[in-house]
Tab-separated table of all heavy atoms in Angstrom:
chain	number	residue	atom	x	y	z
A	231	ALA	N	10.634	2.547	13.827
A	231	ALA	CA	10.182	2.202	12.485
A	231	ALA	C	10.558	3.333	11.476
A	231	ALA	O	10.941	3.002	10.327
A	231	ALA	CB	8.651	1.992	12.496
A	232	HIS	N	10.537	4.543	11.933
A	232	HIS	CA	10.880	5.633	11.001
A	232	HIS	C	12.355	5.582	10.556
A	232	HIS	O	12.689	5.974	9.459
A	232	HIS	CB	10.553	7.019	11.642
A	232	HIS	CG	11.425	7.342	12.823
A	232	HIS	ND1	11.267	6.750	14.019
A	232	HIS	CD2	12.384	8.272	12.965
A	232	HIS	CE1	12.136	7.249	14.867
A	232	HIS	NE2	12.840	8.133	14.243
A	233	GLU	N	13.230	5.100	11.486
A	233	GLU	CA	14.630	4.987	11.149
A	233	GLU	C	14.845	3.891	10.086
A	233	GLU	O	15.665	4.044	9.167
A	233	GLU	CB	15.462	4.689	12.374
A	233	GLU	CG	15.438	5.833	13.406
A	233	GLU	CD	16.292	5.557	14.638
A	233	GLU	OE1	16.963	4.494	14.667
A	233	GLU	OE2	16.322	6.384	15.536
A	234	VAL	N	14.113	2.791	10.261
A	234	VAL	CA	14.233	1.672	9.249
A	234	VAL	C	13.676	2.178	7.931
A	234	VAL	O	14.272	1.957	6.879
A	234	VAL	CB	13.379	0.464	9.721
A	234	VAL	CG1	13.486	-0.645	8.672
A	234	VAL	CG2	13.917	-0.052	11.094
A	235	PHE	N	12.551	2.933	7.959
A	235	PHE	CA	11.975	3.435	6.729
A	235	PHE	C	12.949	4.372	5.984
A	235	PHE	O	13.120	4.319	4.772
A	235	PHE	CB	10.691	4.197	6.977
A	235	PHE	CG	10.113	4.848	5.781
A	235	PHE	CD1	9.324	4.056	4.848
A	235	PHE	CD2	10.343	6.148	5.490
A	235	PHE	CE1	8.805	4.627	3.730
A	235	PHE	CE2	9.801	6.713	4.348
A	235	PHE	CZ	9.044	5.966	3.428
A	236	GLY	N	13.611	5.273	6.752
A	236	GLY	CA	14.555	6.208	6.156
A	236	GLY	C	15.654	5.494	5.403
A	236	GLY	O	15.985	5.825	4.271
A	237	GLU	N	16.213	4.405	5.985
A	237	GLU	CA	17.253	3.617	5.342
A	237	GLU	C	16.664	2.842	4.119
A	237	GLU	O	17.312	2.801	3.106
A	237	GLU	CB	17.863	2.625	6.325
A	237	GLU	CG	18.710	3.318	7.374
A	237	GLU	CD	19.879	4.144	6.745
A	237	GLU	OE1	20.569	3.610	5.892
A	237	GLU	OE2	20.003	5.352	7.168
A	238	LEU	N	15.430	2.325	4.297
A	238	LEU	CA	14.822	1.576	3.215
A	238	LEU	C	14.535	2.465	2.019
A	238	LEU	O	14.735	2.033	0.857
A	238	LEU	CB	13.559	0.903	3.715
A	238	LEU	CG	12.863	-0.090	2.781
A	238	LEU	CD1	13.779	-1.294	2.490
A	238	LEU	CD2	11.551	-0.536	3.326
A	239	ASN	N	14.150	3.685	2.295
A	239	ASN	CA	13.867	4.631	1.167
A	239	ASN	C	15.117	4.984	0.431
A	239	ASN	O	15.093	5.153	-0.827
A	239	ASN	CB	13.153	5.839	1.731
A	239	ASN	CG	12.300	6.524	0.678
A	239	ASN	OD1	11.883	5.937	-0.280
A	239	ASN	ND2	11.897	7.788	0.971
A	240	LYS	N	16.235	5.127	1.132
A	240	LYS	CA	17.518	5.390	0.479
A	240	LYS	C	17.912	4.195	-0.381
A	240	LYS	O	18.406	4.360	-1.513
A	240	LYS	CB	18.595	5.683	1.513
A	240	LYS	CG	18.417	6.957	2.281
A	240	LYS	CD	19.439	7.078	3.393
A	240	LYS	CE	19.196	8.300	4.276
A	240	LYS	NZ	20.181	8.363	5.384
A	241	TYR	N	17.706	3.012	0.128
A	241	TYR	CA	18.003	1.762	-0.601
A	241	TYR	C	17.150	1.697	-1.866
A	241	TYR	O	17.624	1.362	-2.966
A	241	TYR	CB	17.750	0.572	0.298
A	241	TYR	CG	17.768	-0.779	-0.419
A	241	TYR	CD1	18.954	-1.422	-0.718
A	241	TYR	CD2	16.569	-1.381	-0.846
A	241	TYR	CE1	18.954	-2.643	-1.362
A	241	TYR	CE2	16.595	-2.585	-1.484
A	241	TYR	CZ	17.795	-3.201	-1.755
A	241	TYR	OH	17.800	-4.400	-2.433
A	242	ALA	N	15.858	2.022	-1.724
A	242	ALA	CA	14.966	1.947	-2.866
A	242	ALA	C	15.420	2.906	-3.974
A	242	ALA	O	15.388	2.567	-5.156
A	242	ALA	CB	13.513	2.297	-2.418
A	243	GLU	N	15.789	4.088	-3.635
A	243	GLU	CA	16.227	5.078	-4.594
A	243	GLU	C	17.422	4.600	-5.397
A	243	GLU	O	17.519	4.800	-6.614
A	243	GLU	CB	16.554	6.395	-3.890
A	243	GLU	CG	16.931	7.494	-4.860
A	243	GLU	CD	17.138	8.829	-4.183
A	243	GLU	OE1	16.959	8.887	-2.905
A	243	GLU	OE2	17.463	9.823	-4.864
A	244	GLN	N	18.335	3.821	-4.747
A	244	GLN	CA	19.565	3.419	-5.379
A	244	GLN	C	19.372	2.063	-6.139
A	244	GLN	O	19.965	1.862	-7.191
A	244	GLN	CB	20.667	3.244	-4.349
A	244	GLN	CG	21.057	4.550	-3.684
A	244	GLN	CD	21.696	5.533	-4.707
A	244	GLN	OE1	22.456	5.133	-5.572
A	244	GLN	NE2	21.338	6.809	-4.580
A	245	THR	N	18.582	1.158	-5.533
A	245	THR	CA	18.528	-0.218	-6.020
A	245	THR	C	17.303	-0.613	-6.805
A	245	THR	O	17.357	-1.358	-7.777
A	245	THR	CB	18.715	-1.197	-4.829
A	245	THR	OG1	19.853	-0.807	-4.028
A	245	THR	CG2	18.849	-2.627	-5.311
A	246	VAL	N	16.125	-0.059	-6.385
A	246	VAL	CA	14.900	-0.331	-7.046
A	246	VAL	C	14.212	0.990	-7.386
A	246	VAL	O	13.154	1.355	-6.792
A	246	VAL	CB	13.990	-1.270	-6.240
A	246	VAL	CG1	14.531	-2.665	-6.193
A	246	VAL	CG2	13.803	-0.779	-4.794
A	247	PRO	N	14.779	1.839	-8.261
A	247	PRO	CA	14.388	3.222	-8.431
A	247	PRO	C	12.976	3.432	-8.913
A	247	PRO	O	12.370	4.527	-8.697
A	247	PRO	CB	15.376	3.716	-9.501
A	247	PRO	CG	15.859	2.510	-10.182
A	247	PRO	CD	15.889	1.431	-9.153
A	248	GLU	N	12.320	2.425	-9.523
A	248	GLU	CA	10.952	2.576	-9.917
A	248	GLU	C	9.927	2.216	-8.841
A	248	GLU	O	8.749	2.422	-9.056
A	248	GLU	CB	10.671	1.726	-11.175
A	248	GLU	CG	11.426	2.143	-12.422
A	248	GLU	CD	11.190	1.269	-13.592
A	248	GLU	OE1	10.154	0.568	-13.572
A	248	GLU	OE2	11.982	1.286	-14.517
A	249	MET	N	10.406	1.744	-7.702
A	249	MET	CA	9.509	1.389	-6.612
A	249	MET	C	9.058	2.637	-5.880
A	249	MET	O	9.849	3.461	-5.468
A	249	MET	CB	10.191	0.428	-5.636
A	249	MET	CG	9.308	0.019	-4.466
A	249	MET	SD	7.927	-1.014	-4.996
A	249	MET	CE	8.678	-2.685	-4.803
A	250	ILE	N	7.732	2.771	-5.792
A	250	ILE	CA	7.157	3.876	-5.088
A	250	ILE	C	6.894	3.439	-3.628
A	250	ILE	O	6.000	2.681	-3.365
A	250	ILE	CB	5.809	4.379	-5.730
A	250	ILE	CG1	6.091	4.794	-7.182
A	250	ILE	CG2	5.177	5.476	-4.962
A	250	ILE	CD1	4.811	5.103	-7.957
A	251	LEU	N	7.736	3.953	-2.721
A	251	LEU	CA	7.674	3.486	-1.331
A	251	LEU	C	6.889	4.523	-0.508
A	251	LEU	O	7.207	5.707	-0.536
A	251	LEU	CB	9.072	3.334	-0.814
A	251	LEU	CG	9.274	2.776	0.615
A	251	LEU	CD1	8.614	1.391	0.738
A	251	LEU	CD2	10.732	2.724	1.021
A	252	GLY	N	5.920	4.030	0.237
A	252	GLY	CA	5.145	4.872	1.101
A	252	GLY	C	5.040	4.244	2.478
A	252	GLY	O	5.670	3.194	2.793
A	253	VAL	N	4.266	4.851	3.345
A	253	VAL	CA	4.153	4.363	4.739
A	253	VAL	C	2.698	4.241	5.136
A	253	VAL	O	1.860	5.032	4.736
A	253	VAL	CB	4.949	5.286	5.703
A	253	VAL	CG1	4.290	6.683	5.727
A	253	VAL	CG2	5.026	4.691	7.089
Side-chain angles (χ1 to χ4, degrees):
H232 67 288
E233 295 182 2
V234 179
F235 176 83
E237 289 303 310
L238 188 63
N239 208 17
K240 293 174 185 176
Y241 169 82
E243 184 174 359
Q244 295 296 320
T245 309
V246 288
E248 295 179 18
M249 181 67 91
I250 299 174
L251 184 60
V253 65

